[in-house]
Amino acid sequence: MSASTVILGTPDSGLREYGERLAKSANGVCLSDLKLCLAANVAELLQMIELAQEPIERSLLAALATHVPQAKRDAYAYLAERGDWTIATLLWAIVQGLAGRPLVIVDELAGFRIGETERWFSMQPQALFVHALTPRADFERASLRRYDTRLFVPPDYRDHNIAHPSPVLKPVLAWYQLHSTLARALADCDAVRRCRIEVGAEAPASLAALDTLASRQSGAAFWSWPFGRNGSAGTPTPDELERWLESHR
């Protein structure tokens, strides 16, 4: 099987470009925005595709057409004929098409739902999981550019505080939710290899560098989560979370 690296972090933060550079460093392949963790099997994924307001299948179909010989002519038909497959089996078909080349997967949305992150753990137990920290201010600016003039704003980006007559756009809530979810998910899963990086000029520049970093960072002590798990009283504010993440790079 190809060596796999799964990068998890926030949207609009340069993770796709970073994943491409990592894959290139090892003559590998980077795949982004596959939406594989939305469902447990292909039939459920096809239902998600039909209900979605956007073409969420675009990246997956492109990956299938590129790397799976049987899907080159009609990738959607290939999916439709395999509705009983698990998503892990579908991913395995893509991996087989890489002929042993390293695979970098970038998922900018799985961190919003801990169940999707855990699906990655079960589908790729041998992978290196990278929690990619993104600067809060940069994420806020990018999110405001994306959603400020749109009618539909994902609930994760909105403040539903009772003091507001209607929910207001507040991207910091999405930043906080995603990074805290990833921190907890990765800290709780001793079975996976993982490391944490800051996206930017100082980020590891190759898959080999990430592997070296993971060997130092994957201990349980490094990934301990000091905040309460039950109720809001033990939950850190975004600033507290940012300081904690800063101290655990």
Side-chain angles (χ1 to χ4, degrees), residues 48-119:
M48 294 282 192
I49 290 171
E50 291 176 2
L51 294 172
Q53 296 178 336
E54 298 180 353
I56 64 172
E57 74 279 12
R58 184 177 296 163
S59 295
L60 175 59
L61 295 182
L64 290 170
T66 302
H67 301 295
V68 179
Q70 302 95 316
K72 289 186 182 297
R73 179 172 296 180
D74 190 336
Y76 191 89
Y78 176 88
L79 280 180
E81 293 167 1
R82 290 160 177 81
D84 59 336
W85 276 15
T86 65
I87 297 299
T89 302
L90 179 63
L91 180 59
W92 170 242
I94 297 174
V95 169
Q96 283 186 306
L98 302 182
R101 296 172 67 190
L103 171 62
V104 177
I105 297 171
V106 177
D107 193 327
E108 301 170 312
L109 298 175
F112 283 116
R113 306 288 181 267
I114 197 168
E116 294 185 25
T117 303
E118 291 172 343
R119 277 178 174 163

Side-chain angles (χ1 to χ4, degrees), residues 12-154:
D12 302 312
S13 302
L15 297 190
R16 301 183 190 193
E17 293 81 3
Y18 179 64
E20 292 283 356
R21 293 199 299 273
L22 288 177
K24 186 177 180 180
S25 75
N27 191 30
V29 173
C30 178
L31 300 177
S32 302
D33 200 31
L34 296 178
K35 301 291 197 302
L36 288 177
C37 290
L38 292 177
N41 57 58
V42 172
E44 289 181 6
L45 183 59
L46 289 170
Q47 290 180 340
M48 294 282 192
I49 290 171
E50 291 176 2
L51 294 172
Q53 296 178 336
E54 298 180 353
I56 64 172
E57 74 279 12
R58 184 177 296 163
S59 295
L60 175 59
L61 295 182
L64 290 170
T66 302
H67 301 295
V68 179
Q70 302 95 316
K72 289 186 182 297
R73 179 172 296 180
D74 190 336
Y76 191 89
Y78 176 88
L79 280 180
E81 293 167 1
R82 290 160 177 81
D84 59 336
W85 276 15
T86 65
I87 297 299
T89 302
L90 179 63
L91 180 59
W92 170 242
I94 297 174
V95 169
Q96 283 186 306
L98 302 182
R101 296 172 67 190
L103 171 62
V104 177
I105 297 171
V106 177
D107 193 327
E108 301 170 312
L109 298 175
F112 283 116
R113 306 288 181 267
I114 197 168
E116 294 185 25
T117 303
E118 291 172 343
R119 277 178 174 163
W120 275 123
F121 296 163
S122 63
M123 287 197 299
Q124 291 280 279
Q126 82 295 340
L128 168 62
F129 286 88
V130 180
H131 177 183
L133 286 178
T134 49
R136 196 178 81 185
D138 292 348
F139 171 73
E140 286 189 270
R141 282 192 292 270
S143 298
L144 288 172
R145 285 195 300 270
R146 175 185 284 266
Y147 292 115
D148 195 34
T149 59
R150 294 192 180 186
L151 292 176
F152 174 76
V153 177

